Amino acid sequence: MLPFCSRVDLIEYSSTNVQWLQRRAAGLEADDGEDWAPFWAVLAENAAYAERGGDQPLRQVADKVVVTPGSVFDLPEAQWDVGTMFFVACSISSEVDEFYEAVRCFLHALRPGAPFAAAFMIGSDGYQVDGVEFPAVRVGQTMIEEAIRDMAGDAKVIPIPSGGGDPLRDGVEMALALGLRAG
Ligand SMILES: C[S@@+](CC[C@H](N)C(=O)[O-])C[C@H]1O[C@@H](n2cnc3c(N)ncnc32)[C@H](O)[C@@H]1O
């Protein structure tokens, strides 16, 4: 979103993750962003990114990113012109209702017509980080379609199979929902 947006809000619930995001944004300003360069190189194959990125596109992170502590459940209505939500709604708890409500709140926060991308883990019952167990709702393609149907009827849900014979986690895949906020 960097080349196209005057401001990018990152909303995160965990205070330690908020601090990490703030450090990363500040670090990128100090040329600490080399690990993102290969990702940007892929984006810059598209002329729209190449033209708008400038010769130091990652510096735009420091200029445009605002990290805000907050919850997806408390987002204001119709606030943003474009939005992404990656692996959040399925990874808050093991409560199915919270998955649907988080997707609804994310879409509710976008203005009518706003493009969005939302990624989900498929078939995950939870995951471990540094020995700590985190919960997940085991979602599938149909649940994702149900979650977005009322607020983005024309959205596509694209399955992303695990890569080759070396999946990140056995039995777990991903899906990407792309669409426009209805209204
Ligand atoms: C599985 S991680 C995904 C992180 C990142 N988006 C990525 O793709 O690598 C889920 C993230 O959702 C955050 N989260 C959990 N509950 C949340 C809530 N109610 N509102 C916003 N973020 C939340 C967690 O702190 C965590 O950073």
Side-chain angles (χ1 to χ4, degrees), residues 11-14 17 70-73 86-88 91-92 127:
I11 317 287
E12 165 60 48
Y13 188 71
S14 147
N17 290 354
S71 170
V72 67
F73 298 117
F86 273 28
F87 309 116
V88 173
S91 308
I92 294 173
Y127 59 103

Side-chain angles (χ1 to χ4, degrees), residues 66-155:
V66 178
V67 182
T68 305
S71 170
V72 67
F73 298 117
D74 299 328
L75 295 177
E77 180 182 353
Q79 182 79 13
W80 287 281
D81 298 307
V82 57
T84 67
M85 177 176 69
F86 273 28
F87 309 116
V88 173
C90 53
S91 308
I92 294 173
S93 74
S94 54
E95 298 291 324
V96 173
D97 288 352
E98 287 203 329
F99 160 72
Y100 285 109
E101 180 62 4
V103 175
R104 192 194 68 77
C105 288
F106 165 67
L107 293 173
H108 190 67
L110 302 178
R111 295 198 177 100
F116 69 86
F120 303 89
M121 300 305 290
I122 300 282
S124 171
D125 290 314
Y127 59 103
Q128 225 185 47
V129 180
D130 200 19
V132 178
E133 296 284 343
F134 288 86
V137 174
R138 173 182 277 261
V139 304
Q141 175 134 355
T142 306
M143 282 176 72
I144 299 167
E145 286 165 355
E146 281 171 6
I148 60 179
R149 192 171 45 208
D150 289 348
M151 297 173 87
D154 296 335

